[in-house]
Structures are given as C-alpha cells and as structure tokens.
Amino acid sequence: MNLYFSDQKPVGRPEKEQRLNQKAKVIWMTGLSGSGKTTIGLALEKELYKRGFLVMLLDGDLVRIGINNNLRFSVEDRMENIRRIAEVSKLFMNCGIVTIDCFISPTNKIRAMAKSIIGEEDFLEVFISASLEVCENRDIKGLYAKARTGEILEFTGISSPFDVPADPDLVLKTDEMTVEETVQKALDFILPKITLQE
Ligand code: ADP
C-alpha cells in the first residue's frame, strides 16, 4: 500500500503530542565550535527529561559518523548536512518529540533553509554566543590549533565564515555566564513553548 495514495492517514502529530503530554518543537543551537552547544544541549536534555519531556538530541559529531558520514565541510556538503538534519528533526517533530539540534550551521542561508524545512512556528533559533577568542582559548578538541596551522581547512571562524544570527529567538552568552546560568535561561525560555496547555 502506498501511504500517499491511501485513504488511511497516519496517526497525527496532535494525537502524538497528547500521548507524550508535550508540544513538539525544534530547538536549533547555532554557534562557533567550542561556544557551548553540546554542553548546553546535553544539560538541557537531562533537565527536560527529568521534567517528563521526551527529547532527542542531535549533535554534529554523532551525525557525521552516522547518517552524514559521506559528507565533508565544503559549502555544498555543509548545506546537505544541515538539510538532512532538518528533515530528520521534522520527522521527530511530527512524532511529537522535542529535538535539540547542536550544529554550527554557520551561515544565514543554511539556517534559513533549516527554518524553511521545519517551519517558522516550530523552529526556535538559539544563538550560543562566545567570541572567537574565547572559543579558540577553550579549544577543547584542539581543532583551532589545527585550523591555524592549516592542518584543517575550511574551519568556521578561521578559514570559513560564520554569520552572526540577525534575529535569533534566544541568545546565550556563554562567555559571560556559567553553564548552570545558561541552562537555566534556556529552560525558562523553552518550558512554556513545549508545555501542553490543559
Ligand atoms: P560546541 O558544542 O559548541 O563545540 P562544547 O559544548 O563542546 O562546544 O564546548 C564548550 C566548552 O565551553 C566546554 O568546555 C564548556 O565547559 C565551556 N563553557 C564555559 N562556559 C560555558 C557556558 N556558559 N555554557 C556552555 N559551555 C560553557
């Protein structure tokens, strides 16, 4: 049976949201490497899970060893990387699940594409903001050092552009706040948006 030509419809998103007692959204974290996307994403997932929400965390490193393991870092591949992630997030969303996406997603164009796939209403853009200097000093994965010596090419912030988001839904300045403060601010923003009204 072909789903598209069948008169039987799959169970809808509202029913699934009811079942999970939550509203599905896509929380899109954008920012430089080392800005804090994964740290915040992991903590946020834990906090939301504790409160009874079902959350899927998608992260750059995880996706690049799995579904996108054939993609590199050219402009075209970055676009395709984000396109697939946005489509996967949409599938989770239509299953009633809250998705937290932690991806550099460096350009206005790339984020606009993600937003258009997911839909304006459901796409919550969170800018994880820290200066290049701070991220480079953190250099937790040693990638900035490699980018500076040319061992890694097309590295965001060094040899590849990052457009500061023009109108994000939330800005988290990780070079001015502790992890705990940052996660609390994210929680305060997100909880009302994913809580199902009685
Ligand atoms: P990204 O996923 O953006 O590449 P990571 O989360 O892997 O970044 O690394 C961010 C680093 O910055 C971690 O070592 C984290 O402990 C540190 N950090 C300092 N302050 C904050 C903050 N307020 N929020 C998130 N991370 C922070």
Side-chain angles (χ1 to χ4, degrees):
M1 181 166 65
N2 185 327
L3 199 60
Y4 292 100
F5 298 108
S6 160
D7 53 7
Q8 292 188 53
K9 295 267 174 287
V11 178
R13 174 176 164 187
E15 288 86 346
K16 289 178 177 172
E17 289 180 322
Q18 283 288 343
R19 171 66 53 89
L20 295 171
N21 194 28
Q22 63 186 30
K23 276 195 286 186
K25 293 284 172 197
V26 176
I27 303 161
W28 194 278
M29 308 239 197
T30 173
L32 292 171
S33 176
S35 59
K37 301 178 296 297
T38 305
T39 304
I40 298 167
L42 282 167
L44 197 57
E45 183 193 35
K46 207 167 278 172
E47 288 301 320
L48 293 174
Y49 189 76
K50 270 203 287 195
R51 288 165 174 77
F53 293 95
L54 186 60
V55 179
M56 181 68 193
L57 179 71
L58 296 176
D59 178 82
D61 297 338
L62 210 77
V63 164
R64 281 192 176 273
I65 57 167
I67 188 173
N68 287 353
N69 68 2
N70 61 332
L71 300 176
R72 312 254 339 133
F73 293 89
S74 65
V75 173
E76 296 75 27
D77 278 9
R78 283 178 191 260
M79 205 74 181
E80 178 60 10
N81 181 45
I82 296 298
R83 188 190 70 77
R84 288 185 203 168
I85 290 155
E87 290 288 358
V88 167
S89 303
K90 190 175 171 180
L91 293 174
F92 280 115
M93 184 174 79
N94 286 333
C95 197
I97 294 166
V98 175
T99 305
I100 302 174
D101 285 314
C102 305
F103 297 95
I104 298 175
S105 40
T107 61
N108 290 326
K109 192 174 167 196
I110 228 166
R111 291 187 295 262
M113 176 189 60
K115 187 175 187 169
S116 80
I117 290 169
I118 289 155
E120 205 160 322
E121 274 287 287
D122 295 310
F123 182 85
L124 303 175
E125 187 178 281
V126 182
F127 175 31
I128 310 300
S129 167
S131 68
L132 178 63
E133 199 188 353
V134 166
C135 294
E136 195 165 0
N137 280 334
R138 287 178 182 160
D139 207 11
I140 42 168
K141 297 180 204 156
L143 297 176
Y144 282 97
K146 287 186 181 164
R148 287 291 182 196
T149 59
E151 200 181 319
I152 300 178
L153 303 174
E154 299 182 289
F155 193 76
T156 304
I158 307 289
S159 40
S160 187
F162 182 83
D163 302 337
V164 170
D167 190 23
D169 297 290
L170 179 70
V171 180
L172 298 174
K173 295 188 177 177
T174 68
D175 47 6
E176 293 179 8
M177 295 164 90
T178 65
V179 174
E180 291 70 27
E181 289 166 345
T182 312
V183 172
Q184 188 57 52
K185 190 171 175 190
L187 266 178
D188 292 344
F189 166 77
I190 286 154
L191 280 172
K193 298 191 162 41
I194 59 173
T195 301
L196 206 59
Q197 308 302 328
E198 292 298 315

